[in-house]
C-alpha cells in the first residue's frame, strides 16, 4: 500500500493541520484515560469489602485509553486519504466508543461503591 502522503493531491494545508490536531486530541484523550486508570489502580484507597474494585474500574480505563490512541491514528489515516482524494470524510466511531465505555465504567463504579457500602455497613 502506498504511503498516505503519496496518494491523491495535496489538500489545503488547513485541512491537513486540522486533521493532525484532531489526531493529537484523540492521543491526549487516550493518554489521559491510561493515566486515570493507573491512578485508580495505584492511588484510590481500596473499597471495603470489594478489594478487587479498583482493578475492576482501572483496567477498562487503561484498555479504552490504548484503544482510543490506536483508533485515533487509524482515523487520522482514513481522513487524510479522504482529504487527498477529494472524498467526504468517513464517519467516526470514536465518540460513540468513548461515550459508551465511559458510561459503562461510571455505572460499574456506582455498583462497586454500592456493594462496598452494603458489605461494609
Amino acid at each position: 500500500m502506498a504511503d498516505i502522503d503519496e496518494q491523491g493531491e495535496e489538500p489545503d494545508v488547513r485541512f491537513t493541520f486540522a486533521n493532525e490536531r484532531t489526531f493529537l486530541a484523540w492521543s491526549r484523550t487516550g493518554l489521559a484515560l491510561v493515566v486515570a486508570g493507573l491512578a485508580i489502580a495505584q492511588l484510590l484507597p481500596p473499597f471495603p469489602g470489594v478489594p478487587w474494585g479498583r482493578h475492576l474500574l482501572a483496567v477498562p480505563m487503561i484498555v479504552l485509553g490504548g484503544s482510543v490512541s490506536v483508533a485515533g491514528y487509524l482515523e487520522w489515516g482514513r481522513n487524510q486519504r479522504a482529504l487527498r482524494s477529494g472524498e467526504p470524510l468517513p464517519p467516526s466511531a470514536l465518540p460513540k466508543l468513548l461515550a459508551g465505555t465511559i458510561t459503562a465504567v461510571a455505572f460499574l463504579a456506582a455498583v462497586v461503591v454500592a456493594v462496598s457500602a452494603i458489605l461494609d455497613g
Side-chain angles (χ1 to χ4, degrees), residues 3-23 72-90:
D3 188 59
I4 292 172
D5 293 332
E6 297 173 2
Q7 299 174 355
E9 296 181 17
E10 183 68 29
D12 185 329
V13 70
R14 293 173 293 179
F15 299 129
T16 299
F17 288 152
N19 189 33
E20 184 178 273
R21 284 191 305 273
T22 302
F23 164 69
Y73 175 75
L74 296 174
E75 185 169 298
W76 168 83
R78 282 194 319 271
N79 289 344
Q80 197 63 23
R81 279 189 284 282
L83 288 170
R84 292 188 70 82
S85 63
E87 297 174 2
L89 296 181

Side-chain angles (χ1 to χ4, degrees), residues 9-81:
E9 296 181 17
E10 183 68 29
D12 185 329
V13 70
R14 293 173 293 179
F15 299 129
T16 299
F17 288 152
N19 189 33
E20 184 178 273
R21 284 191 305 273
T22 302
F23 164 69
L24 293 172
W26 285 120
S27 297
R28 286 189 302 271
T29 301
L31 180 60
L33 289 164
V34 169
V35 170
L38 291 172
I40 289 168
Q42 295 299 313
L43 303 175
L44 190 67
F47 293 99
V50 189
W52 38 265
R54 291 183 303 175
H55 293 94
L56 189 65
L57 300 177
V59 170
M61 297 295 282
I62 295 168
V63 170
L64 177 61
S67 300
V68 165
S69 181
V70 169
Y73 175 75
L74 296 174
E75 185 169 298
W76 168 83
R78 282 194 319 271
N79 289 344
Q80 197 63 23
R81 279 189 284 282

